[in-house]
C-alpha cells in the first residue's frame, strides 16, 4: 500500500513560534488532504491540495503541495494554544493517513 | 443530526464477549469508513463501504472483525470474542461520494475497553 511518512512525530513550541509538519511519499500522489485532531476529539478536515506546487492559506495556516506531488507541508505561523493537537495528512485516493504530528504549544 | 453519529460512546466489556458498534453517517453520504485508533497512535484503516458493498476489507485485523451496512446508511462493526488488544477508539467517517478524494467527516468515536 501507499507509504506516507510524516515528520516530525512530536513538536513542542513556545507560543508565538512557527511550526511545520511534512508529509512525504515515495510515489506521486493524486491529491492530499490535511486533518486536525484536538486532544480527545476526532479528526477534522482542514484542506485538500490537488495541483502540483499548489499553495493554500487559511489564516495562519499555509499548506503546500510539492512540485512533484510527492510531498506536502503544513506551516503554522505564530502558534497559539488553540493550535494544539495532532495534524494528519491523508492520501486522497488511498485509505491511509500519515502517522501524524502531535503539536504542543507552551504558553 | 447534521454530523456522523456513533454509538455507544463508551463500551467496557470482558474479554471473550462480542461487541457491536454503530455508525450513522451524514444523510446522503454514500461512502463510509471505519478506522481504529489506539491511545496516542495514528488512524488504522479497517474497512470502506460504497453504498452497501465493501470493496475493500483489507484492513480488518482478523476474522473476528466484520462489518455491514444496510440501506446505504447505518453501519455496524462487530468484534467477536474480544481480546485486550482490541481496546481502542473506533472511528467512523463518511464522505459525500464514493471517490476517496472527498473530505471525510468523522464521528466522535466509540471508546472500547476490554477487561
Amino acid at each position: 500500500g501507499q507509504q506516507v511518512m510524516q515528520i516530525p512525530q512530536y513538536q513542542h513550541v513556545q507560543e508565538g513560534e512557527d511550526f511545520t509538519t511534512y508529509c512525504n511519499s515515495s510515489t506521486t500522489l493524486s491529491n492530499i488532504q490535511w486533518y486536525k485532531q484536538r486532544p480527545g476529539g476526532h479528526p477534522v478536515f482542514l484542506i485538500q491540495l490537488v495541483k502540483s506546487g499548489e499553495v493554500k492559506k487559511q489564516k495562519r495556516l499555509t499548506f503546500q503541495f510539492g512540485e512533484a506531488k510527492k510531498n506536502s507541508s503544513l506551516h503554522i505561523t505564530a502558534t497559539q494554544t488553540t493550535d494544539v493537537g495532532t495534524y494528519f495528512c491523508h492520501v486522497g485516493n488511498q485509505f491511509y493517513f500519515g502517522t501524524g504530528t502531535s503539536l504542543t504549544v507552551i504558553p | 443530526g447534521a454530523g456522523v453519529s456513533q454509538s455507544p460512546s463508551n463500551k467496557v466489556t470482558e474479554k471473550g464477549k462480542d461487541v457491536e458498534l454503530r455508525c450513522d453517517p451524514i444523510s446522503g453520504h454514500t461512502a463510509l469508513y471505519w478506522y481504529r485508533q489506539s491511545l496516542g497512535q495514528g488512524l488504522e484503516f479497517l474497512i470502506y463501504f460504497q453504498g452497501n458493498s465493501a470493496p475493500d476489507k483489507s484492513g480488518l485485523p482478523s476474522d473476528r472483525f466484520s462489518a455491514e451496512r444496510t440501506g446505504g446508511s447505518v453501519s455496524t462493526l462487530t468484534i467477536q470474542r474480544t481480546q485486550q488488544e482490541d481496546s481502542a477508539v473506533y472511528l467512523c467517517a463518511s464522505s459525500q461520494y464514493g471517490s476517496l478524494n472527498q473530505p471525510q467527516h468523522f464521528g466522535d468515536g466509540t471508546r472500547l475497553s476490554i477487561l
Side-chain angles (χ1 to χ4, degrees):
Chain A
Q2 178 70 54
Q3 292 292 327
V4 175
M5 302 300 295
Q6 195 170 347
I7 55 171
Q9 187 175 3
Y10 301 97
Q11 185 77 57
H12 291 69
V13 299
Q14 289 288 142
E15 188 172 17
E17 291 182 339
D18 292 356
F19 159 78
T20 306
T21 174
Y22 301 89
C23 192
N24 299 312
S25 170
S26 57
T27 60
T28 302
L29 307 174
S30 62
N31 66 71
I32 198 158
Q33 300 170 350
W34 285 94
Y35 291 76
K36 176 184 177 180
Q37 185 176 24
R38 294 181 185 273
H42 58 264
V44 174
F45 173 78
L46 295 176
I47 209 157
Q48 176 167 280
L49 304 171
V50 179
K51 300 176 183 177
S52 169
E54 188 171 14
V55 177
K56 289 187 177 181
K57 293 190 176 183
Q58 289 179 351
K59 296 183 180 179
R60 293 178 295 104
L61 278 60
T62 301
F63 304 84
Q64 188 163 2
F65 205 5
E67 292 291 340
K69 299 182 73 173
K70 289 186 176 182
N71 55 71
S72 180
S73 64
L74 158 59
H75 179 83
I76 303 178
T77 303
T79 54
Q80 299 175 359
T81 55
T82 53
D83 297 324
V84 166
T86 301
Y87 293 84
F88 293 98
C89 61
H90 174 245
V91 178
N93 64 344
Q94 302 283 340
F95 301 112
Y96 308 99
F97 280 76
T99 49
T101 296
S102 176
L103 173 64
T104 300
V105 178
I106 304 164
Chain B
V4 177
S5 178
Q6 290 188 246
S7 61
S9 55
N10 286 283
K11 177 71 176 179
V12 180
T13 192
E14 293 179 346
K15 176 182 173 181
K17 300 286 188 182
D18 298 351
V19 294
E20 190 173 276
L21 313 180
R22 175 188 169 106
C23 173
D24 199 344
I26 292 173
S27 179
H29 279 196
T30 61
L32 186 146
Y33 316 80
W34 283 99
Y35 297 91
R36 180 168 70 175
Q37 188 172 36
S38 299
L39 186 62
Q41 300 298 309
L43 295 161
E44 177 188 1
F45 167 74
L46 297 179
I47 191 168
Y48 155 64
F49 286 92
Q50 174 53 42
N52 290 335
S53 65
D56 196 312
K57 303 179 181 180
S58 62
L60 293 177
S62 75
D63 59 7
R64 296 185 296 103
F65 287 72
S66 63
E68 65 176 14
R69 188 181 186 194
T70 55
S73 183
V74 173
S75 175
T76 54
L77 176 68
T78 301
I79 309 173
Q80 296 179 310
R81 304 181 303 281
T82 52
Q83 303 294 314
Q84 287 186 332
E85 61 263 28
D86 299 334
S87 296
V89 175
Y90 289 80
L91 289 162
C92 174
S94 68
S95 63
Q96 190 170 12
Y97 306 117
S99 167
L100 289 168
N101 295 321
Q102 292 295 311
Q104 296 184 33
H105 300 265
F106 284 81
D108 289 334
T110 293
R111 184 174 300 278
L112 177 63
S113 300
I114 309 299
L115 303 178

